[in-house]
Amino acid sequence: MLPPSSSGTGTATGTGTATATQEPRGTAGTPEGRTDADAAIAGARAEAEPRTEPRTEPRTEPRSEPRAGADPRSAESRGADPRGAESRTAPWSTDPYANALRNGRGPLFLRRSDGWLLPLEVERWCSDAGAADLSALHRCEGPVLDIGCGPGRLVAELTALGHRALGIDVSEAAVARTRRIGGSALLRSVFDPLPGEGRWGTLLLVDGNIGIGGDPAALLDRAADLLSTGGLLIAETSPLDIDERFQVRLDDGLRTPAERAGPADRPFPWARIGTPALLRYAGACGWRPADQWSAEGRAFVALRRPRLPLRKRSARTSSQSAESANSAPVMSSQLER
């Protein structure tokens, strides 16, 4: 999950004041859709359940003697893996996003190649849903898919409010934390095959996740594939009037250059767009504006899925799918919230 911007405040503050573009709620949550969503959420919960293996007696291996001259305190002398726990936990300890979620705080940034830094609001993501979040969640209809759910505050809050909700994220740490606080989540990219495609009542793209993949038009195409006819997309935009695309890396400002050499440090595409830019992209794809509002300095847009048959996804969208699936494990989703 990403914040909408690195600077500036919204056009208004409060608990969510809608503009005159609001329209009546649709009927996206059909009984058939509920069945699909329930199956997806149940599947996510089943994945999270620990499996009980039948108990077997440990096999006794002949004890080998340490080589001559070996330090009796060493792992080798004790018959342990000489690499020890450090090698098994190295991927977690060097992933700045996983570390931030585990600690519940930053520092964490997106760094452009020119050195520009976008601070990520890890503390807010790891907190309970706030007033601005609730202004979006209270607009949700039918089963909800949170794209790039991050540490899961929105999925958990929706579940507590009685919604059927599922989060997806490409970060194992994000999915684990979402499940731990009571939400359902799957380790998936939005461009992967997903359960209930074409039957979700609401999609969430908040905390800057409209920037996933660096191509808002391709992401809107994919969102239309996932929603039921007339379904609702709720996206958070930058409070600034911008339309930017760039390559970024995760940076916690703490690691040495030698430590910044893992998969999490590969550059990946991202975008930052304001409400005017999103409405331009949405109009070109056939989406209908349903609502606009701001709350606590954050800007939101609600869009209705096109009712006409969607145009075939372009070659750009197909290539974007492959690129996003190989991107760094971040919000998820998705710099995977």
Side-chain angles (χ1 to χ4, degrees):
M1 238 195 251
L2 287 181
S5 67
S6 58
S7 62
T9 59
T11 56
T13 60
T15 58
T17 303
T19 68
T21 58
Q22 187 172 5
E23 65 175 27
R25 297 291 174 88
T27 57
T30 64
E32 190 175 7
R34 286 196 295 270
T35 301
D36 255 18
D38 287 339
I41 295 166
R45 288 175 178 163
E47 275 194 25
E49 289 294 326
R51 296 182 180 180
T52 304
E53 300 292 341
R55 184 175 179 179
T56 58
E57 292 298 322
R59 187 175 65 179
T60 303
E61 297 288 349
R63 183 174 181 179
S64 59
E65 295 298 323
R67 62 177 174 81
D71 184 344
R73 297 169 297 177
S74 70
E76 180 183 357
S77 296
R78 297 194 305 271
D81 180 354
R83 296 172 298 175
E86 183 177 353
S87 67
R88 295 191 295 273
T89 60
W92 293 95
S93 62
T94 57
D95 179 351
Y97 182 59
N99 287 342
L101 294 192
R102 182 167 57 244
N103 297 328
R105 63 181 184 276
L108 192 64
F109 309 90
L110 289 185
R111 178 186 289 273
R112 277 193 327 216
S113 58
D114 61 3
W116 175 87
L117 294 175
L118 174 65
L120 305 183
E121 300 179 73
V122 179
E123 291 85 352
R124 179 170 65 79
W125 300 345
C126 292
S127 300
D128 294 337
D133 298 321
L134 292 173
S135 75
L137 301 188
H138 288 321
R139 288 170 164 82
C140 290
E141 306 168 0
V144 183
L145 181 65
D146 185 5
I147 298 170
C149 65
R153 77 183 189 284
L154 301 185
V155 179
E157 183 67 23
L158 283 165
T159 302
L161 291 172
H163 284 273
R164 286 156 294 128
L166 176 69
I168 57 169
D169 206 291
V170 297
S171 164
E172 292 183 0
V175 170
R177 195 179 189 283
T178 300
R179 292 170 173 174
R180 190 165 62 248
I181 64 174
S184 299
L186 293 174
L187 187 66
R188 300 284 192 279
S189 162
V190 64
F191 295 103
D192 289 338
L194 295 172
E197 294 202 11
R199 300 187 184 280
W200 292 96
T202 303
L203 300 185
L204 295 177
L205 282 168
V206 301
D207 296 327
N209 281 336
I210 190 64
I212 289 172
D215 188 339
L219 187 56
L220 287 172
D221 279 350
R222 178 57 178 148
D225 292 341
L226 297 171
L227 279 172
S228 60
T229 300
L232 193 67
L233 170 64
I234 297 177
E236 183 175 355
T237 61
S238 171
L240 307 176
D241 185 5
I242 57 174
D243 185 355
E244 300 177 336
R245 306 184 194 188
F246 35 73
Q247 295 280 323
V248 293
R249 285 181 170 86
L250 277 172
D251 190 345
D252 59 9
L254 303 175
R255 296 173 301 154
T256 66
E259 292 173 322
R260 297 196 294 265
D265 291 285
R266 292 196 306 264
F268 57 95
W270 203 259
R272 295 172 69 219
I273 61 174
T275 295
L278 176 58
L279 293 177
R280 287 195 299 271
Y281 287 117
C285 297
W287 292 79
R288 295 180 294 117
D291 200 357
Q292 297 177 44
W293 73 97
S294 61
E296 297 186 323
R298 297 164 60 191
F300 298 87
V301 175
L303 301 168
R304 289 281 176 203
R305 179 191 182 274
R307 295 183 181 276
L308 296 176
L310 296 172
R311 61 180 173 81
K312 291 185 177 181
R313 294 172 67 184
S314 64
R316 182 199 70 243
T317 307
S318 300
S319 63
Q320 182 64 48
S321 173
E323 184 178 20
S324 296
N326 293 325
S327 64
V330 294
M331 299 296 202
S332 34
S333 80
Q334 305 156 358
L335 178 66
E336 58 157 331
R337 235 158 309 180

